[in-house]
C-alpha cells in the first residue's frame, strides 16, 4: 500500500521537475525584443561602416608612395599628380613641400605656368608661388599642404611638422616619399598668406 509519505514524495518530485514555460504574450515579447536588438545592431554597424572612410593606397584620400625619380630637382617645375591632387615642389633651399592642388578660393585647380614660374588659378586668377605662398587674387590663403614623410637612403626619416613647413633635404638622397592625401595642413591665422 502506498503510504502517505510515498504520495507526498511523488507530488514533490512532480513539482520539482515542473518547468515554467513563457506565456504566448511573453514569447512574442522576447521575439520582438530580439528583433529590435538585431535591427539596432545592424543599423549601428552600417553607420560605423560608412562613417569611417577607407582609402586605398594610391587613391585620393590615401597615401601615395613615390620614388626619388618623381621628385623634381631644386628650383625646377613642380611634379603634378592629378590622381592625388597634389604638386611636389623642390624649393631653392633644397627643401621639399607637397601642395594640395585645389585653390583655396572656390576649389578650382591652379596649374603651374612655367613662363611665369607660379601657379595660376584658371577661375578667378589667384596666383601662388612654387611653395604655395599666396601672391595675389581672391584666394584667402596660400595653398594647403599634405603631410609627407621622406625616407632617406642614409636611414633617416623626416615628416611634415604641424605647421606644414617644408622638409629640409640637406643634400641627403631620397629613397622614397609617402604623401598622405588624407592629412592636410591648412594655412590659417598669421600664416594664412605665408
Ligand atoms: S577658385 Fe581659384 S581664384 Fe577662385
Amino acid at each position: 500500500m502506498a503510504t502517505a509519505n510515498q504520495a507526498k514524495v511523488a507530488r514533490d518530485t512532480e513539482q520539482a521537475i515542473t518547468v515554467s514555460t513563457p506565456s504566448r504574450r511573453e514569447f512574442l515579447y522576447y521575439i520582438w525584443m530580439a528583433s529590435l536588438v538585431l535591427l539596432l545592431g545592424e543599423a549601428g554597424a552600417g553607420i560605423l561602416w560608412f562613417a569611417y572612410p577607407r582609402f586605398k593606397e594610391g587613391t585620393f584620400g590615401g597615401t601615395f608612395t613615390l620614388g626619388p625619380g618623381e621628385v623634381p630637382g631644386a628650383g625646377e617645375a613642380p611634379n603634378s599628380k592629378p590622381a592625388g591632387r597634389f604638386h611636389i615642389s623642390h624649393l631653392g633651399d633644397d627643401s621639399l613641400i607637397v601642395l594640395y592642388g585645389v585653390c583655396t578660393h572656390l576649389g578650382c585647380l591652379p596649374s603651374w605656368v612655367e613662363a611665369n614660374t607660379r601657379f595660376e588659378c584658371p577661375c578667378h586668377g589667384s596666383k601662388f608661388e612654387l611653395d604655395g605662398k599666396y601672391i595675389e587674387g581672391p584666394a584667402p590663403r596660400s595653398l594647403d599642404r599634405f603631410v609627407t614623410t621622406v625616407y632617406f637612403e642614409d636611414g633617416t626619416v623626416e615628416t611634415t611638422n604641424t605647421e606644414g613647413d617644408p622638409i629640409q633635404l640637406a643634400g641627403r638622397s631620397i629613397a622614397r616619399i609617402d604623401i598622405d592625401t588624407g592629412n592636410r595642413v591648412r594655412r590659417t591665422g598669421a600664416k594664412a598668406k605665408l
Side-chain angles (χ1 to χ4, degrees):
M1 175 179 85
T3 65
N5 275 346
Q6 286 173 319
K8 183 174 181 307
V9 168
R11 275 200 311 276
D12 290 347
T13 303
E14 191 178 327
Q15 284 174 355
I17 63 173
T18 299
V19 177
S20 69
T21 54
S23 67
R24 179 183 168 81
R25 172 174 293 197
E26 286 174 327
F27 179 73
L28 290 175
Y29 174 76
Y30 292 140
I31 291 290
W32 183 83
M33 285 300 290
S35 302
L36 185 63
V37 167
L38 192 63
L39 190 68
L40 289 175
E42 286 181 353
I47 289 169
L48 287 175
W49 176 264
F50 285 106
Y52 288 98
R54 294 165 300 284
F55 298 107
K56 282 194 215 150
E57 190 172 324
T59 60
F60 182 72
T63 298
F64 284 72
T65 298
L66 304 180
E70 301 193 74
V71 176
E76 290 181 359
N79 184 10
S80 300
K81 288 281 178 187
R85 298 179 207 162
F86 60 78
H87 308 280
I88 307 167
S89 291
H90 191 161
L91 309 179
D93 65 351
D94 198 23
S95 62
L96 193 73
I97 192 166
V98 179
L99 304 169
Y100 180 38
V102 173
C103 183
T104 53
H105 181 220
L106 293 176
C108 290
L109 301 176
S111 55
W112 179 256
V113 178
E114 185 62 36
N116 299 329
T117 59
R118 64 190 182 191
F119 293 101
E120 297 183 358
C121 183
C123 293
H124 314 102
S126 288
K127 301 181 177 60
F128 308 90
E129 293 181 2
L130 180 63
D131 63 356
K133 182 181 174 185
Y134 169 88
I135 299 173
E136 62 181 26
R141 63 181 194 277
S142 300
L143 295 176
D144 296 334
R145 300 152 180 205
F146 282 135
V147 171
T148 300
T149 302
V150 182
Y151 298 84
F152 296 95
E153 288 190 347
D154 65 5
T156 55
V157 179
E158 306 272 359
T159 298
T160 306
N161 62 18
T162 54
E163 301 289 316
D165 293 331
I167 294 173
Q168 296 297 325
L169 303 183
R172 291 171 289 182
S173 298
I174 294 173
R176 75 166 212 263
I177 62 173
D178 286 353
I179 299 158
D180 183 358
T181 60
N183 199 351
R184 180 157 45 110
V185 180
R186 293 162 61 95
R187 302 300 279 175
T188 55
K191 293 198 168 181
K193 293 191 173 178
L194 295 179

